[in-house]
Amino acid sequence: MPVTGNRLRPWVAVAAALGAALTLTSPAARADEPAPAPPTHWTKDATVVTLTAGVTRTTWHEKVLADGTSPENRAKPRILQIVEIDPTAGALTLETTIGTSGGSAEKVIDQLTQVSTTPARRPYAGVNGGLFQPEPAGAGVADTAAHSSVSATDGVLHSSSCWNGGKGSTGAVIQYGTPYITKLLTDLKLIGPSGEDVRVDDFNRTPGRPPHCARDDEDTLVSTKPNVYTDPDEIVVFTDDYGLPVPRPGTDPNIAATADPGFEVVVDAHGVVTKVREGRGGTTVPAGGRVIQGIGTGAQWLRDRLAVDDRVTIDQKLRDVTLARDIPLDDSVDVVSSFHQLLHDGSIPKELPNTCSEPRIGKNGTDPICIDSRTALGTNVYGRTVLVTLSGETDPTGAYTETNEDGAYLRDFATLLHDPALDLRIIDAINLDGGGSTTLVTRLPTGPVVNTPPTDRLNGAYVHRRVADSVYAGVGGYGMYAK
């Protein structure tokens, strides 16, 4: 019988990884074990697509009824796709990318293309990353994005963590090509020339407007769908990979704090202040340097303590709350954010909610369904990384419809990944951004292929959403390849 998800434990993953050359067999069922699950209404493709040595894509199709609908009250069947990455089988790595800049949103395929100028060294497969929010383009730049909760690429933080009463927020730390899921909390300080320090609220977003979650206990929720908070007294640092002119005042007319003209400080790559000025915005971050914006008491702190030629330090700590340790932020560390862990130690966490952003009435005209497409990052019993997408099927005629975006309620998605009939053997997984953000891109010998249908509209046509970051399996192998 297949090994069911609720029986998997970390030592099984370790043993399996060490014994990768052995054939995995299952012992006969004991009398006290439950009977095997009945056949599922999902069917796995007979062909597993090998993208390169150690990277494969497996596809599951939901059963199609005689009228073309699915057994789960849906107008069309769904598709579940799983990319498995085995770093022992080839020179592979797992990393995140923000594409052209940390401040702008781009399609996953465009972000992955920019990983290398050499086509042969571009990623083999990738999915969209953590949650984000479009920001009002205060500097006149379209597709401005702010990360929700902590994210990092090559040790550079793009945003701070959610506060959650000091408990931090869920994320996946990716280091040396291997991810692990934990609770993360950032501790950020700006240290002036006299040694005085002040809290830094965040990176690379409009001061006074924290997206999605509170960054500290001073943030106040002011709107929902999506959640937006406000804090009239903030300091926000912009890194040189932000890539856009920093925001001007008044970016969001609904959030009064963003209208504060504030104070701005420009710091070079050596930590030396090169410019201070009343007001803020429109400045380009110097290479290797930082731009610091303050509003309210944050602006006053900068105004009172910093002058040209002063030296400042930005102290950054990334705390692993679960393991009670600090994670050194060097260029081996990437972080992708999440709000929910789908599977933990082979089980569905009790606290996982069954939420949905886009509930609709199903084909029977009575019962609701959730059309949120889903994306997940996890590890399986073999110690391998998995990238997962659940979406509507791609219409072979190319005639995309509203049903292209089709996924599941959050807990139902976890239940599907845990389904013993599918026997996916995933033991830990986090939920990444979903809905129209869900995108899976693979690189075949003929070039990159987008394996999920577009669901956003632009000028009447369906397009893939621009996202803040992506997670990908690429050419690597630590010890053999340096970035």
Side-chain angles (χ1 to χ4, degrees):
M1 66 178 281
V3 179
T4 57
N6 62 350
R7 297 176 57 214
L8 304 179
R9 293 294 181 265
W11 63 267
V12 180
V14 174
L18 293 176
L22 301 179
T23 302
L24 181 67
T25 59
S26 299
R30 301 193 310 265
D32 60 344
E33 288 184 336
T40 181
H41 59 268
W42 289 84
T43 302
K44 182 168 67 172
D45 277 357
T47 302
V48 175
V49 178
T50 299
L51 302 171
T52 191
V55 184
T56 60
R57 177 171 63 89
T58 304
T59 303
W60 294 77
H61 297 274
E62 195 172 19
K63 181 180 179 180
V64 183
L65 301 180
D67 62 356
T69 64
S70 86
E72 291 199 0
N73 194 27
R74 297 173 186 274
K76 287 186 178 181
R78 297 166 293 172
I79 182 172
L80 177 69
Q81 302 184 86
I82 300 175
V83 171
E84 184 178 72
I85 304 151
D86 180 4
T88 68
L92 302 172
T93 188
L94 184 77
E95 299 186 54
T96 68
T97 178
I98 53 174
T100 302
S101 63
S104 61
E106 298 174 299
K107 296 178 183 178
V108 173
I109 192 169
D110 294 333
Q111 289 186 339
L112 299 186
T113 299
Q114 294 170 59
V115 167
S116 176
T117 56
T118 304
R121 299 193 73 86
R122 289 172 180 162
Y124 299 113
V127 295
N128 57 287
L131 275 70
F132 69 99
Q133 254 190 49
E135 276 207 303
V141 180
D143 301 311
T144 309
H147 296 258
S148 301
S149 189
V150 59
S151 63
T153 302
D154 298 340
V156 177
L157 289 171
H158 307 306
S159 55
S160 61
S161 68
C162 296
W163 173 240
N164 290 333
K167 298 177 182 177
S169 50
T170 300
V173 178
I174 302 172
Q175 191 170 26
Y176 305 121
T178 302
Y180 78 94
I181 299 167
T182 188
K183 292 284 188 182
L184 297 166
L185 188 66
T186 49
D187 182 10
L188 312 172
K189 294 179 181 178
L190 179 64
I191 304 173
S194 63
E196 292 181 271
D197 63 69
V198 64
R199 170 181 163 78
V200 171
D201 292 84
D202 213 340
F203 289 96
N204 298 345
R205 54 94 171 158
T206 299
R209 190 185 185 278
H212 273 299
C213 64
R215 272 34 178 201
D216 56 34
D217 57 8
E218 297 175 356
D219 294 349
T220 303
L221 182 66
V222 291
S223 66
T224 59
K225 291 189 176 181
N227 285 355
V228 176
Y229 291 75
T230 189
D231 183 350
D233 304 300
E234 284 200 320
I235 291 178
V236 173
V237 174
F238 293 84
T239 57
D240 66 344
D241 57 9
Y242 182 67
L244 305 174
V246 297
R248 299 181 188 276
T251 57
D252 190 340
N254 299 311
I255 310 296
T258 70
D260 187 331
F263 195 80
E264 187 172 275
V265 177
V266 180
V267 180
D268 69 12
H270 304 288
V272 176
V273 175
T274 61
K275 184 178 181 180
V276 297
R277 73 180 182 99
E278 292 291 338
R280 58 188 176 87
T283 307
T284 299
V285 185
R290 300 290 186 265
V291 169
I292 306 168
Q293 289 190 346
I295 60 172
T297 58
Q300 195 60 47
W301 194 96
L302 299 176
R303 189 180 290 117
D304 292 344
R305 290 169 176 81
L306 298 184
V308 173
D309 292 334
D310 281 345
R311 187 175 295 275
V312 299
T313 302
I314 301 171
D315 184 57
Q316 309 171 73
K317 287 186 173 62
L318 179 61
R319 184 73 173 169
D320 182 331
V321 177
T322 306
L323 298 179
R325 72 180 186 103
D326 289 336
I327 300 172
L329 286 167
D330 59 41
D331 61 6
S332 71
V333 174
D334 292 347
V335 179
V336 61
S337 66
S338 174
F339 286 166
H340 298 293
Q341 184 159 2
L342 299 167
L343 295 175
H344 174 65
D345 196 16
S347 298
I348 301 173
K350 293 181 179 178
E351 64 273 15
L352 181 67
N354 207 25
T355 53
C356 176
S357 298
E358 292 286 341
R360 294 188 182 176
I361 298 300
K363 67 177 183 180
N364 65 11
T366 304
D367 298 318
I369 61 170
C370 181
I371 69 163
D372 294 352
S373 298
R374 297 291 180 183
T375 311
L377 165 68
T379 53
N380 64 18
V381 69
Y382 305 106
R384 300 167 188 164
T385 301
V386 291
L387 307 174
V388 183
T389 59
L390 174 66
S391 66
E393 289 268 18
T394 301
D395 192 310
T397 68
Y400 298 117
T401 67
E402 293 292 343
T403 55
N404 284 338
E405 183 177 344
D406 205 357
Y409 284 92
L410 187 61
R411 194 173 183 89
D412 290 344
F413 179 44
T415 301
L416 177 63
L417 300 184
H418 191 247
D419 187 344
L422 272 65
D423 195 25
L424 301 178
R425 306 191 180 199
I426 299 173
I427 54 174
D428 290 289
I430 57 171
N431 186 60
L432 300 181
D433 199 8
S437 296
T438 292
T439 311
L440 168 63
V441 176
T442 59
R443 177 165 67 84
L444 302 176
T446 55
V449 176
V450 182
N451 306 91
T452 46
T455 58
D456 281 7
R457 279 185 181 272
L458 180 64
N459 299 326
Y462 282 96
V463 297
H464 285 91
R465 181 176 297 172
R466 293 178 171 88
V467 300
D469 60 348
S470 301
V471 184
Y472 68 88
V475 180
Y478 283 87
M480 294 181 289
Y481 166 65
K483 290 184 182 177

